Coordinates of all heavy atoms in Angstrom, one line a residue:
L330 N -16.9 8.9 3.0 CA -17.9 8.0 2.3 C -17.4 7.8 0.9 O -17.0 8.7 0.1 CB -19.2 8.8 2.2 CG -20.3 8.1 1.4 CD1 -20.7 6.7 2.0 CD2 -21.5 9.0 1.3
D331 N -17.3 6.5 0.6 CA -16.9 6.1 -0.8 C -17.9 4.9 -1.2 O -17.7 3.8 -0.8 CB -15.4 5.6 -0.8 CG -15.1 4.8 -2.0 OD1 -15.9 4.7 -3.0 OD2 -14.0 4.2 -2.0
P332 N -18.9 5.3 -1.9 CA -20.0 4.3 -2.2 C -19.7 3.3 -3.4 O -20.6 2.7 -3.8 CB -21.2 5.2 -2.4 CG -20.7 6.4 -3.0 CD -19.3 6.6 -2.5
A333 N -18.4 3.3 -3.9 CA -18.2 2.5 -5.0 C -17.8 1.1 -4.6 O -17.2 0.9 -3.6 CB -17.0 3.1 -5.8
P334 N -18.3 0.1 -5.4 CA -18.0 -1.3 -5.1 C -16.5 -1.6 -5.3 O -15.9 -1.0 -6.1 CB -18.9 -2.1 -6.0 CG -19.1 -1.2 -7.2 CD -19.1 0.2 -6.7
R335 N -16.1 -2.6 -4.6 CA -14.7 -3.2 -4.9 C -14.8 -4.5 -5.7 O -13.8 -5.0 -6.1 CB -13.9 -3.3 -3.6 CG -13.6 -2.0 -2.9 CD -12.7 -1.1 -3.8 NE -12.3 0.1 -3.2 CZ -13.0 1.2 -3.2 NH1 -14.2 1.3 -3.8 NH2 -12.6 2.3 -2.6
L336 N -16.0 -5.0 -5.8 CA -16.2 -6.3 -6.4 C -17.5 -6.3 -7.2 O -18.5 -5.7 -6.7 CB -16.3 -7.4 -5.4 CG -15.0 -7.9 -4.8 CD1 -15.2 -8.5 -3.5 CD2 -14.4 -9.0 -5.8
V337 N -17.4 -6.8 -8.4 CA -18.6 -7.0 -9.2 C -18.8 -8.4 -9.5 O -17.9 -9.1 -9.9 CB -18.5 -6.1 -10.5 CG1 -19.7 -6.2 -11.3 CG2 -18.1 -4.7 -10.2
L338 N -20.0 -8.9 -9.3 CA -20.3 -10.3 -9.7 C -21.3 -10.2 -10.8 O -22.5 -9.8 -10.5 CB -20.9 -11.1 -8.5 CG -20.0 -11.1 -7.3 CD1 -20.6 -12.0 -6.1 CD2 -18.6 -11.7 -7.6
D339 N -21.0 -10.6 -12.0 CA -21.9 -10.5 -13.1 C -21.9 -11.8 -13.9 O -20.9 -12.3 -14.2 CB -21.4 -9.3 -14.0 CG -22.3 -9.1 -15.2 OD1 -23.3 -8.4 -15.1 OD2 -22.1 -9.7 -16.3
P340 N -23.1 -12.3 -14.2 CA -23.1 -13.6 -14.9 C -22.3 -13.7 -16.2 O -21.8 -14.7 -16.5 CB -24.6 -13.8 -15.1 CG -25.3 -12.6 -14.8 CD -24.4 -11.8 -13.9
E341 N -22.3 -12.6 -16.9 CA -21.5 -12.6 -18.2 C -20.1 -12.3 -18.0 O -19.2 -12.8 -18.7 CB -22.1 -11.6 -19.2 CG -23.3 -12.0 -19.9 CD -23.8 -11.0 -20.9 OE1 -23.3 -9.9 -20.9 OE2 -24.6 -11.4 -21.8
L342 N -19.8 -11.4 -17.1 CA -18.4 -10.9 -17.0 C -17.5 -11.7 -16.0 O -16.3 -11.7 -16.1 CB -18.4 -9.4 -16.5 CG -19.1 -8.4 -17.4 CD1 -19.0 -7.0 -16.8 CD2 -18.5 -8.4 -18.8
G343 N -18.3 -12.4 -15.1 CA -17.6 -13.1 -14.0 C -17.3 -12.3 -12.9 O -18.2 -11.4 -12.5
M344 N -16.2 -12.4 -12.2 CA -15.9 -11.5 -11.0 C -14.9 -10.5 -11.4 O -13.9 -10.7 -12.1 CB -15.3 -12.4 -9.9 CG -15.0 -11.8 -8.6 SD -13.3 -11.4 -8.4 CE -12.7 -13.0 -7.8
C345 N -15.3 -9.2 -11.2 CA -14.4 -8.1 -11.5 C -13.9 -7.5 -10.2 O -14.8 -7.1 -9.3 CB -15.0 -7.0 -12.3 SG -15.6 -7.7 -13.9
S346 N -12.6 -7.3 -10.0 CA -12.1 -6.7 -8.8 C -11.7 -5.3 -9.1 O -11.2 -5.0 -10.2 CB -10.9 -7.5 -8.2 OG -9.9 -7.5 -9.1
V347 N -11.9 -4.4 -8.1 CA -11.8 -3.0 -8.3 C -10.8 -2.4 -7.3 O -10.9 -2.8 -6.1 CB -13.1 -2.2 -8.2 CG1 -13.0 -0.7 -8.3 CG2 -14.1 -2.8 -9.3
G348 N -9.9 -1.5 -7.7 CA -9.0 -0.9 -6.8 C -8.5 0.4 -7.3 O -8.6 0.7 -8.4
R349 N -7.9 1.2 -6.3 CA -7.4 2.5 -6.7 C -6.0 2.3 -7.5 O -5.5 3.2 -8.1 CB -7.1 3.3 -5.5 CG -6.9 4.7 -5.8 CD -7.4 5.7 -4.8 NE -7.6 7.0 -5.4 CZ -7.9 8.1 -4.7 NH1 -8.2 8.0 -3.5 NH2 -8.1 9.2 -5.4
S350 N -5.5 1.1 -7.4 CA -4.4 0.7 -8.3 C -4.5 -0.7 -8.6 O -5.4 -1.5 -8.1 CB -3.1 0.9 -7.4 OG -3.1 -0.1 -6.4
A351 N -3.8 -1.2 -9.6 CA -3.8 -2.5 -10.1 C -3.5 -3.5 -8.9 O -4.1 -4.6 -8.8 CB -2.9 -2.8 -11.3
K352 N -2.5 -3.1 -8.1 CA -2.1 -3.9 -7.0 C -3.3 -4.1 -6.0 O -3.6 -5.2 -5.5 CB -0.9 -3.2 -6.3 CG -0.3 -4.1 -5.2 CD 0.9 -3.4 -4.6 CE 1.3 -4.2 -3.3 NZ 1.9 -3.3 -2.3
D353 N -4.0 -3.0 -5.7 CA -5.2 -3.1 -4.8 C -6.2 -4.0 -5.4 O -6.8 -4.8 -4.7 CB -5.8 -1.7 -4.6 CG -5.0 -0.8 -3.6 OD1 -4.1 -1.4 -3.0 OD2 -5.4 0.4 -3.5
A354 N -6.4 -3.9 -6.7 CA -7.5 -4.7 -7.4 C -7.0 -6.2 -7.3 O -7.9 -7.1 -7.1 CB -7.7 -4.3 -8.8
A355 N -5.8 -6.5 -7.4 CA -5.2 -7.8 -7.3 C -5.5 -8.4 -5.9 O -5.8 -9.6 -5.7 CB -3.8 -7.9 -7.7
I356 N -5.2 -7.6 -4.9 CA -5.4 -8.0 -3.5 C -6.9 -8.3 -3.3 O -7.3 -9.4 -2.7 CB -4.9 -7.0 -2.5 CG1 -3.4 -6.9 -2.6 CG2 -5.3 -7.3 -1.1 CD1 -2.8 -5.7 -1.8
V357 N -7.8 -7.5 -3.8 CA -9.2 -7.7 -3.6 C -9.6 -9.0 -4.2 O -10.3 -9.8 -3.7 CB -10.0 -6.5 -4.3 CG1 -11.5 -6.9 -4.4 CG2 -9.9 -5.2 -3.5
A358 N -9.1 -9.3 -5.4 CA -9.4 -10.5 -6.1 C -8.9 -11.7 -5.4 O -9.6 -12.8 -5.3 CB -8.8 -10.5 -7.5
E359 N -7.7 -11.6 -4.8 CA -7.2 -12.8 -4.1 C -8.0 -13.0 -2.8 O -8.3 -14.2 -2.5 CB -5.7 -12.6 -3.8 CG -5.1 -13.9 -3.3 CD -3.6 -13.8 -3.0 OE1 -3.0 -12.8 -3.2 OE2 -3.1 -14.8 -2.5
I360 N -8.4 -12.0 -2.1 CA -9.2 -12.2 -0.9 C -10.5 -12.8 -1.3 O -11.0 -13.8 -0.7 CB -9.4 -10.8 -0.2 CG1 -8.1 -10.4 0.5 CG2 -10.5 -10.9 0.8 CD1 -8.2 -9.0 1.1
Y361 N -11.1 -12.3 -2.4 CA -12.4 -12.8 -2.7 C -12.4 -14.2 -3.2 O -13.4 -15.0 -3.1 CB -13.2 -11.9 -3.7 CG -14.7 -12.0 -3.5 CD1 -15.3 -11.6 -2.4 CD2 -15.5 -12.7 -4.5 CE1 -16.6 -11.8 -2.2 CE2 -16.8 -12.9 -4.3 CZ -17.4 -12.4 -3.1 OH -18.7 -12.6 -2.9
A362 N -11.3 -14.7 -3.9 CA -11.1 -16.0 -4.2 C -11.3 -16.9 -3.0 O -12.0 -18.0 -3.1 CB -9.8 -16.3 -5.0
H363 N -10.7 -16.5 -1.9 CA -10.8 -17.3 -0.6 C -12.3 -17.1 -0.1 O -12.8 -18.1 0.4 CB -9.8 -16.8 0.4 CG -8.4 -17.2 0.0 ND1 -7.9 -18.3 0.7 CD2 -7.5 -16.7 -0.8 CE1 -6.6 -18.5 0.2 NE2 -6.4 -17.5 -0.7
T364 N -12.8 -15.9 -0.2 CA -14.2 -15.7 0.3 C -15.2 -16.6 -0.5 O -16.0 -17.3 0.2 CB -14.6 -14.2 0.1 OG1 -13.7 -13.4 0.7 CG2 -16.0 -14.0 0.7
M365 N -15.0 -16.8 -1.8 CA -16.0 -17.6 -2.5 C -15.9 -19.1 -2.1 O -16.9 -19.8 -2.0 CB -15.6 -17.6 -4.0 CG -16.0 -16.2 -4.6 SD -15.8 -16.2 -6.4 CE -14.1 -16.3 -6.7
E366 N -14.7 -19.5 -1.7 CA -14.5 -20.9 -1.2 C -15.1 -21.0 0.2 O -15.9 -22.0 0.4 CB -13.0 -21.2 -1.2 CG -12.7 -22.7 -1.2 CD -11.3 -22.9 -1.7 OE1 -10.4 -22.4 -1.0 OE2 -11.1 -23.6 -2.8
I367 N -14.9 -20.0 1.0 CA -15.4 -20.1 2.4 C -16.9 -20.1 2.3 O -17.6 -20.9 3.0 CB -14.9 -18.9 3.2 CG1 -13.4 -19.0 3.5 CG2 -15.7 -18.7 4.5 CD1 -12.7 -17.8 4.0
V368 N -17.5 -19.2 1.5 CA -19.0 -19.0 1.5 C -19.6 -20.3 0.9 O -20.6 -20.9 1.4 CB -19.4 -17.8 0.6 CG1 -20.8 -17.8 0.3 CG2 -19.0 -16.5 1.3
S369 N -18.9 -20.9 -0.2 CA -19.5 -22.1 -0.8 C -19.4 -23.3 0.2 O -20.4 -24.0 0.3 CB -18.7 -22.5 -2.0 OG -18.7 -21.4 -3.0
R370 N -18.3 -23.4 0.9 CA -18.2 -24.5 1.9 C -19.2 -24.3 3.0 O -19.9 -25.3 3.5 CB -16.8 -24.6 2.4 CG -15.9 -25.2 1.4 CD -14.5 -25.3 1.9 NE -13.6 -26.0 0.9 CZ -12.3 -25.8 0.8 NH1 -11.7 -25.0 1.6 NH2 -11.6 -26.4 -0.1
A371 N -19.3 -23.1 3.6 CA -20.2 -22.8 4.7 C -21.7 -23.1 4.2 O -22.5 -23.6 5.0 CB -20.1 -21.4 5.2
T372 N -22.0 -22.8 3.0 CA -23.3 -23.0 2.5 C -23.6 -24.5 2.4 O -24.6 -25.0 2.8 CB -23.4 -22.4 1.0 OG1 -23.1 -21.0 1.1 CG2 -24.8 -22.6 0.5
A373 N -22.5 -25.3 2.0 CA -22.7 -26.7 2.0 C -22.9 -27.3 3.3 O -23.5 -28.3 3.5 CB -21.5 -27.4 1.3
L374 N -22.3 -26.6 4.3 CA -22.4 -27.1 5.7 C -23.7 -26.8 6.4 O -24.0 -27.4 7.4 CB -21.2 -26.5 6.5 CG -20.9 -27.0 7.8 CD1 -20.5 -28.5 7.8 CD2 -19.8 -26.2 8.5
G375 N -24.5 -25.9 5.8 CA -25.7 -25.6 6.4 C -26.2 -24.2 6.3 O -27.2 -23.8 6.7
G376 N -25.2 -23.3 5.8 CA -25.6 -21.9 5.6 C -24.5 -21.0 6.0 O -23.8 -21.2 7.1
Y377 N -24.2 -20.0 5.2 CA -23.2 -19.0 5.6 C -23.8 -17.9 6.4 O -24.8 -17.4 6.1 CB -22.5 -18.4 4.2 CG -21.5 -17.4 4.5 CD1 -20.2 -17.7 5.0 CD2 -21.7 -16.0 4.1 CE1 -19.3 -16.7 5.2 CE2 -20.7 -15.0 4.3 CZ -19.5 -15.4 4.8 OH -18.6 -14.4 5.0
R378 N -23.1 -17.5 7.4 CA -23.6 -16.4 8.3 C -22.4 -15.4 8.6 O -21.5 -15.8 9.3 CB -24.1 -17.0 9.7 CG -25.3 -17.8 9.6 CD -26.5 -16.9 9.5 NE -27.7 -17.8 9.3 CZ -28.2 -18.2 8.2 NH1 -27.5 -18.0 7.0 NH2 -29.3 -19.0 8.1
A379 N -22.5 -14.3 8.0 CA -21.5 -13.3 8.2 C -21.9 -12.4 9.5 O -23.0 -12.6 10.0 CB -21.3 -12.4 7.0
L380 N -21.1 -11.5 9.9 CA -21.4 -10.7 11.0 C -22.6 -9.7 10.6 O -22.8 -9.4 9.4 CB -20.2 -9.8 11.3 CG -19.1 -10.5 12.0 CD1 -17.9 -9.6 12.0 CD2 -19.4 -10.9 13.4
P381 N -23.2 -9.2 11.6 CA -24.3 -8.1 11.3 C -23.6 -6.9 10.7 O -22.4 -6.6 10.9 CB -24.8 -7.8 12.7 CG -24.5 -8.9 13.6 CD -23.2 -9.5 13.0

Side-chain angles (χ1 to χ4, degrees):
L330 173 67
D331 164 9
R335 292 297 183 274
L336 277 155
V337 181
L338 305 180
D339 181 88
E341 278 186 346
L342 302 178
M344 184 254 282
C345 300
S346 62
V347 176
R349 196 148 199 183
S350 65
K352 190 177 164 211
D353 283 352
I356 293 173
V357 167
E359 193 177 354
I360 288 175
Y361 206 68
H363 286 262
T364 306
M365 290 189 291
E366 203 158 61
I367 291 167
V368 169
S369 301
R370 285 179 176 152
T372 304
L374 194 59
Y377 178 69
R378 291 284 176 275
L380 288 169

